[in-house]
Amino acid sequence: MMATGVRAGPGEADDEFEPPPPRSGPWPPLRDLAACLRFYSRLPVPALPGETDRHAAPDFRIVPRMLPLAGLVIGLPGAVALAAGLALGLGPFLAATLALTVSTLVTGALHEDGLADVADGFGGGLTVARRLEIMRDSRIGAYGAAALVLSCALRIGALATLADRIGWRAAVALLAVAALSRTAALWPLCRLPPARPDGAAHAVGRPSGATHATAWALCLAVLIAAGLLGLPWLGLALAGLLAFGAAWTLSRMAARLVGGQTGDVIGACQQTAEIAALLALVIAVPA
């Protein structure tokens, strides 16, 4: 979720947001799914019947209800790459690295950029204003570079370990985590005020309580499906708990250090939630 310097995140709206007028056209959940895919990925999503401007800013008061399903679609290319790599005999490490490479290409490193900006801002700024200034700078510093290296290492290592222990079901884990981490990253967007009054994504709105609840309901359905496909129930429960805990913890840090959320904070929440969920599954799967 979101990166100053690459593209605006969804997290900088205020309570004065005026929703767009009602639109006719595609089935609303399908329209929201398409909007999520366009916003969170580089996937080529064609215009739906009745859409007048597929590049218009989405109404984030409603659209994120479909984010878990969008996460499945966004995670699918990486999951296919992981399963294919294992089937072709690349081994767990190379297959996991290939999966992460494909996933990063699909998102355009959207979340990774947010993580790097937050690491630089939180680590290098002494005041709120300075932290926000650093986060808006497109250049990467030592904290950001270290965060990216550690994030990639932890995710590749966790995926490789899962692939070694449960084979192709590691691809199922990747799909489940893609949905879970993005849902968990909605927490700061829903609960914190914008840190900047002039953010680039100021007009997209804040998810309603119903939108947030619907997203978590769909995420739960995804986790149940993953359990039915062979992932350990205890691991899935632990993944959900730790993913939310990671997003909550980073949200509290953002509230204290920059006074609210930004698109970068939401992106960093997705990354930390993804790492936490993958590690939870590794813990739950016997060696």
Side-chain angles (χ1 to χ4, degrees):
M1 192 155 209
M2 303 49 98
T4 304
V6 172
R7 83 180 76 165
E12 301 171 8
D14 60 17
D15 294 333
E16 297 179 357
F17 169 76
E18 292 293 336
R23 292 175 289 175
S24 60
W27 185 45
L30 180 60
R31 181 192 66 214
D32 295 341
L33 175 61
C36 282
L37 291 174
R38 292 178 187 129
F39 193 85
Y40 285 91
S41 78
R42 300 284 180 87
L43 294 174
V45 181
L48 300 177
E51 282 189 316
T52 57
D53 183 8
R54 64 191 178 109
H55 300 295
D59 178 4
F60 257 79
R61 300 199 312 172
I62 302 172
V63 163
R65 62 183 175 175
M66 300 301 291
L67 187 53
L69 299 187
L72 284 179
V73 177
I74 292 169
L76 184 59
V80 170
L82 178 61
L86 293 173
L88 292 171
L90 294 184
F93 176 77
L94 284 178
T97 303
L98 178 63
L100 185 60
T101 300
V102 171
S103 297
T104 303
L105 290 173
V106 168
T107 63
L110 180 64
H111 312 302
E112 286 82 358
D113 186 76
L115 175 67
D117 285 344
V118 165
D120 279 334
F122 287 11
L126 297 179
T127 65
V128 170
R130 180 57 180 154
R131 292 179 192 117
L132 290 173
E133 180 184 357
I134 292 173
M135 289 165 64
R136 180 165 274 174
D137 192 332
S138 61
R139 294 171 296 181
I140 189 170
Y143 289 107
L148 287 178
V149 170
L150 293 173
S151 172
C152 290
L154 286 168
R155 287 181 289 157
I156 290 173
L159 272 178
T161 302
L162 287 172
D164 182 57
R165 295 180 183 178
I166 60 176
W168 66 268
R169 289 183 178 84
V172 178
L174 182 57
L175 287 173
V177 169
L180 173 60
S181 61
R182 286 166 176 80
T183 306
L186 287 175
W187 182 259
L189 181 58
C190 294
R191 299 297 179 177
L192 297 182
R196 298 188 185 97
D198 60 342
H202 191 267
V204 296
R206 178 183 295 182
S208 67
T211 295
H212 199 195
T214 301
W216 274 109
L218 288 175
C219 182
L220 179 60
V222 170
L223 295 181
I224 291 173
L228 294 175
L229 288 172
L231 294 189
W233 295 104
L234 177 61
L236 290 168
L238 185 61
L241 182 63
L242 292 187
F244 175 77
W248 182 87
T249 300
L250 190 55
S251 297
R252 297 318 305 160
M253 291 178 61
R256 179 171 60 87
L257 294 175
V258 296
Q261 46 82 8
T262 69
D264 288 330
V265 168
I266 298 164
C269 282
Q270 186 279 329
Q271 290 280 281
T272 55
E274 181 176 329
I275 292 168
L278 287 171
L279 293 178
L281 289 171
V282 170
I283 291 169
V285 174

